[in-house]
Amino acid sequence: LTQALMGDSGIDPMLVVFPAKIGDQFLICSDGLNGVLSDFEILTVVKKYSEKKEDHCPNNLPCYHDYDEALAVARKLHKPLMIDFTGFACVNCRKMESEVWTDPAVDKILRNDVVLVSLYVDFDKPLPEAEKTLKKIGNEDFKINTVGQKWVYLEASRYKTNAQPLYVLLGNDEQMLTSETAHYDPDIQKYIKWLEDGINKYKEGKK
């Protein structure tokens, strides 16, 4: 930008290549910050608005973040349990929350007819030492040292996938209420039908 404003005939942009990985965050700004704010000050601002919060619930929905706790609440309230396998870095999860979950009919169901548990598979909070363990996924060893890895194992071992978002409706016996799980799909009516099919099956089982 400076070169262009100075009217240089030839502009030589500076390119720096960094390896990127899932969960990285990028701050795009002008070079006006260079020398004005320190790296620490910039990092403080970025962390303030991007910090992973374990108590975050999409769209201010009532939700839980621990499977066993949510299951106990579902049993107490006599409601189906809806698992939302999600991730802080999951783009399609955010699309479902902003484009499908905000539909009034969907929002009403999620608030009133199910107990929602959002399990963030990339939550890197360390587990207590007593809960850290080694499991098997297929023939491979899988270390469970963080909260997120605990939910990765739950999803992969029970539902044979590691894709997000993944939605599962369970009865109080932890059995699936629908023949299939739900995934990213912007079709609101299809999602409502999936929710209603599971809830209706739950109600039929209570009769």
Side-chain angles (χ1 to χ4, degrees):
L1 177 60
T2 302
Q3 295 178 51
L5 291 175
M6 293 178 64
D8 290 349
S9 58
I11 297 177
D12 184 23
M14 183 180 70
L15 301 176
V16 181
V17 179
F18 293 96
K21 61 182 183 296
I22 294 175
D24 282 351
Q25 299 167 10
F26 296 87
L27 174 65
I28 301 175
C29 59
S30 74
D31 59 0
L33 282 179
N34 185 32
V36 177
L37 296 179
S38 67
D39 290 346
F40 177 77
E41 289 174 311
I42 295 174
L43 178 61
T44 300
V45 172
V46 172
K47 289 182 68 176
K48 177 180 178 181
Y49 292 99
S50 61
E51 186 177 2
K52 297 176 182 179
K53 297 181 179 180
E54 57 186 311
D55 60 348
H56 169 73
C57 290
N59 305 331
N60 291 317
L61 288 164
C63 79
Y64 296 84
H65 296 289
D66 180 82
Y67 176 83
D68 292 327
E69 179 186 11
L71 178 62
V73 172
R75 286 170 171 168
K76 182 177 181 179
L77 298 179
H78 304 290
K79 290 183 178 182
L81 176 66
M82 178 172 150
I83 307 177
D84 163 34
F85 287 104
T86 184
F88 292 104
C90 174
V91 175
N92 283 339
C93 300
R94 303 294 86 77
K95 287 183 178 179
M96 285 294 289
E97 293 161 7
S98 63
E99 298 173 9
V100 177
W101 284 19
T102 53
D103 176 82
V106 175
D107 183 86
K108 183 178 179 181
I109 292 172
L110 296 180
R111 290 184 187 279
N112 300 300
D113 299 330
V114 301
V115 171
L116 174 65
V117 57
S118 292
L119 305 178
Y120 287 84
V121 300
D122 54 359
F123 189 26
D124 54 7
K125 179 180 179 180
L127 288 168
E129 288 298 322
E131 294 183 26
K132 294 180 180 179
T133 185
L134 181 68
K135 298 284 188 178
K136 286 278 189 182
I137 296 181
N139 295 321
E140 300 293 327
D141 288 337
F142 184 76
K143 293 181 179 179
I144 302 177
N145 295 323
T146 67
V147 173
Q149 289 169 343
K150 181 178 179 179
W151 307 138
V152 168
Y153 177 75
L154 176 65
E155 181 182 12
S157 62
R158 188 177 293 187
Y159 304 109
K160 312 304 179 186
T161 184
N162 188 27
Q164 293 85 44
L166 180 76
Y167 307 110
V168 189
L169 280 171
L170 299 180
N172 297 154
D173 57 359
E174 299 184 78
Q175 298 301 305
M176 284 180 53
L177 294 169
T178 57
S179 58
E180 296 181 349
T181 55
H183 307 263
Y184 170 73
D185 190 334
D187 188 331
I188 294 174
Q189 294 307 313
K190 181 179 178 181
Y191 194 72
I192 291 175
K193 184 178 186 306
W194 176 80
L195 287 168
E196 290 179 339
D197 286 349
I199 293 169
N200 288 337
K201 185 173 181 180
Y202 177 86
K203 292 178 178 178
E204 290 172 1
K206 291 174 60 179
K207 293 179 181 179

